[in-house]
Amino acid sequence: MNLISSIVNKIGRSIQYIENPDLYYLRRNDGIFDLYEKISQPWIKSIGIKTILDIGANVGQSTVTFARVFPAAKIYAFEPIPDCYQKLEAKFINNKNVSAINIAVGAQLGELSLELNNYTPSSSFLKMDNRHVESFPFTTVDKVVNICVDSLDNIVNKFVVEEPILAKIDVQGFEDKVIAGGQKTLDKCRLVIIETSFETLYKDQPLFHDIYNLMIGMGFKYAGSMGQLLDPKTKQYLQSDSLFIKDN
């Protein structure tokens, strides 16, 4: 029975890939299927995004997805962890529309200590809360490294950034610092996808209502969730990739 189910599933995936080759591309290049489905909707494509700021790119999972949906857009992918940055840079070495930048985005220029996690997407400038360890025991801090940080406004000021702009912010509890240092840049964005937490996973991190209030105060409106993270055991909602939009 398991063999039959496996064969049926493989046939189903093959048909799906034939109908939409993008899905096969994402699978081969570690793209994010859920993100692809959300941002490839006609109403988002109709905005005509020309620049994407991928803040917290890790090894390029979201960058791959953005590049597939918006092939003509210029993408600036920010990743502070050296090993992750090297993989990110190598992945897009032949794509002139993607620029990998080895820096962390925060409130201001300086140097901060990063809690480097064995599971790199969980690395943060903030210490993990007990809730994080309980829900995801495979996430353990390997070591602490010093990382160069600069504000989004300072960084983007060095580039030619064409509007409309989409920004994705996924920085493990540091989202309010990115917003604080990116007021001018974010003011020019049409869409912002930002990780928001309902439970404290990192000590002193902002929660959903904090980020919501900051974004609404900047003239954005909340446009819904683009995906949720659930506690593997209790199935409680822990985080959401929240979409905020600003009208012309």
Side-chain angles (χ1 to χ4, degrees):
M1 192 67 175
N2 289 336
L3 177 61
I4 295 175
S5 297
S6 177
I7 293 173
V8 171
N9 288 335
K10 287 182 179 179
I11 293 173
R13 284 196 299 269
S14 297
I15 294 174
Q16 189 179 37
Y17 294 151
I18 292 172
E19 292 177 343
N20 189 347
D22 282 353
L23 299 181
Y24 180 72
Y25 176 86
L26 293 176
R27 182 189 177 194
R28 291 296 299 267
N29 293 278
D30 299 319
I32 304 173
F33 289 90
D34 189 53
L35 177 62
Y36 172 86
E37 291 178 352
K38 299 296 194 303
I39 63 175
S40 60
Q41 298 300 318
W43 77 271
I44 290 183
K45 284 190 171 183
S46 69
I47 294 174
I49 296 296
K50 293 185 178 180
T51 302
I52 297 171
L53 307 174
D54 191 352
I55 303 167
N58 197 245
V59 297
Q61 302 94 320
S62 53
T63 312
V64 164
T65 311
F66 286 130
R68 198 65 179 176
V69 178
F70 307 103
K74 176 63 180 180
I75 303 177
Y76 296 99
F78 304 91
E79 176 52 46
I81 300 173
D83 288 348
C84 294
Y85 167 74
Q86 290 174 9
K87 294 176 182 178
L88 171 68
E89 185 180 43
K91 184 173 289 186
F92 296 99
I93 194 168
N94 294 318
N95 188 332
K96 62 179 177 29
N97 283 339
V98 178
S99 294
I101 304 168
N102 188 204
I103 197 169
V105 181
Q108 59 191 5
L109 178 63
E111 188 175 88
L112 293 174
S113 296
L114 180 80
E115 302 260 324
L116 184 58
N117 203 289
N118 284 315
Y119 179 65
T120 56
S122 288
S123 299
S124 176
F125 290 114
L126 306 178
K127 292 185 178 298
M128 284 194 300
D129 191 80
N130 290 336
R131 179 60 188 274
H132 192 297
V133 179
E134 292 169 359
S135 299
F136 307 101
F138 59 87
T139 59
T140 57
V141 174
D142 177 43
K143 57 184 176 181
V144 176
V145 295
N146 291 329
I147 296 291
C148 182
V149 182
D150 202 354
S151 71
L152 184 60
D153 286 344
N154 284 346
I155 298 169
V156 170
N157 191 46
K158 303 171 186 176
F159 308 136
V160 176
V161 178
E162 192 174 0
E163 300 178 39
I165 304 168
L166 182 156
K168 185 224 80 178
I169 306 173
D170 183 355
V171 289
Q172 307 307 303
F174 215 59
E175 290 80 15
D176 57 336
K177 304 299 188 297
V178 174
I179 293 173
Q183 295 283 304
K184 293 179 181 179
T185 303
L186 294 175
D187 187 55
K188 298 177 183 178
C189 292
R190 284 292 307 281
L191 297 174
V192 176
I193 302 170
I194 184 167
E195 186 176 79
T196 53
S197 295
F198 305 112
E199 297 291 325
T200 301
L201 300 180
Y202 296 91
K203 296 183 184 301
D204 301 319
Q205 74 166 108
L207 295 179
F208 173 85
H209 63 273
D210 299 308
I211 299 300
Y212 175 89
N213 288 334
L214 287 173
M215 296 301 293
I216 296 301
M218 294 174 61
F220 286 89
K221 61 183 180 182
Y222 178 62
S225 170
M226 301 194 75
Q228 296 86 30
L229 174 67
L230 278 64
D231 186 301
K233 299 176 183 177
T234 67
K235 304 306 177 184
Q236 179 181 358
Y237 289 105
L238 299 178
Q239 291 182 329
S240 172
D241 291 326
S242 296
L243 177 65
F244 290 87
I245 186 169
K246 178 177 284 188
D247 296 329
N248 283 334

